Amino acid sequence: MNLYLRYFDRETLVSTVDEAIEFLSSIDEIEMNPLLEADIREYVASDIFYPKRYKIHPRVYFIIIKTDASNMQDFKEKKAIHSVEENRVKPVAPVLVRLNEECEGWYEGILEFKRVLLVPGTGKFQYRDTQFAARVKAMSGMDCYQRIVEHLRERVDERSQFPSAKGKNFKFRYLGRAK
């Protein structure tokens, strides 16, 4: 892995972080300090392949790009630029697929919702984050969600707000077949 660095018309292709820091230190306008050096080392060590831009002054930046190019000509001709797609981790199963996957049995669902409660003494109402967990007999994760929300709608103030089944505020897991 090599690094391409550019500051206005000054550019270089280096193979180590130390060479990159040495190049940046040679530019008078860039004040190399321990924080900047640590951030550059962290970026190079990470799995991120997006270009990184560092602000020097208002509207003045230098850029670092990770590349597999062995020389400047290959880099300029874009022969060895990393594809973002090849480094992306494939999701195990999209939320919608898991939600709608039919498997009859017992499910445990946890729902975080905004519950409307009366504040004693003031007579006013407020929203309060509330977590509700239940084990239900259902056909799918979506069915589990619908049964929990149906149960809660009968028991809490009608102004309470329930999250989407697809969001981060609803989690479920399959417990096993119903007997």
Side-chain angles (χ1 to χ4, degrees):
M1 171 82 45
N2 290 323
L3 303 169
Y4 169 79
L5 293 96
R6 187 181 74 220
Y7 179 75
F8 288 107
D9 61 342
R10 296 172 131 182
E11 61 185 3
T12 188
L13 189 69
V14 296
S15 58
T16 67
V17 181
D18 293 326
E19 290 174 358
I21 291 170
E22 184 180 320
F23 169 76
L24 294 170
S25 298
S26 71
I27 301 171
D28 294 333
E29 293 88 11
I30 299 175
E31 295 174 16
M32 187 56 69
N33 59 47
L35 290 174
L36 180 60
E37 183 177 335
D39 193 57
I40 292 169
R41 288 183 189 280
E42 184 179 319
Y43 166 71
V44 172
S46 73
D47 293 335
I48 300 170
F49 284 93
Y50 293 105
K52 180 90 176 193
R53 191 170 75 160
Y54 290 92
K55 188 173 188 176
I56 304 303
H57 301 292
R59 290 179 254 141
V60 178
Y61 301 88
F62 72 85
I63 190 169
I64 300 176
I65 300 173
K66 292 180 182 180
T67 180
D68 286 331
S70 58
N71 57 48
M72 190 65 82
Q73 184 177 355
D74 286 352
F75 178 79
K76 295 287 183 171
E77 293 174 1
K78 298 182 180 175
K79 289 184 179 176
I81 298 290
H82 262 279
S83 166
V84 175
E85 288 299 318
E86 80 184 35
N87 296 309
R88 186 170 286 158
V89 176
K90 303 286 187 259
V92 176
V95 175
L96 284 174
V97 172
R98 284 195 56 233
L99 268 173
N100 295 319
E101 190 175 61
E102 289 202 11
C103 188
E104 184 178 4
W106 286 98
Y107 287 83
E108 180 179 57
I110 301 171
L111 182 74
E112 291 184 31
F113 67 103
K114 301 277 187 192
R115 184 176 185 177
V116 174
L117 294 171
L118 177 66
V119 177
T122 63
K124 295 184 178 181
F125 292 89
Q126 72 177 22
Y127 286 101
R128 187 160 297 157
D129 289 334
T130 306
Q131 187 177 64
F132 181 81
R135 292 183 175 172
V136 297
K137 199 177 203 180
M139 293 296 292
S140 65
M142 183 58 90
D143 189 30
C144 171
Y145 170 82
Q146 290 169 342
R147 288 175 186 249
I148 290 173
V149 170
E150 184 180 309
H151 172 80
L152 289 171
R153 284 196 196 278
E154 296 172 4
R155 289 166 176 78
V156 297
D157 190 294
E158 63 186 28
R159 294 171 288 184
S160 296
Q161 298 174 357
F162 298 100
S164 166
K166 298 175 251 179
K168 65 180 180 176
N169 291 326
F170 174 66
K171 297 176 184 75
F172 71 94
R173 67 184 177 115
Y174 179 70
L175 299 175
R177 305 281 294 152
K179 292 184 181 180

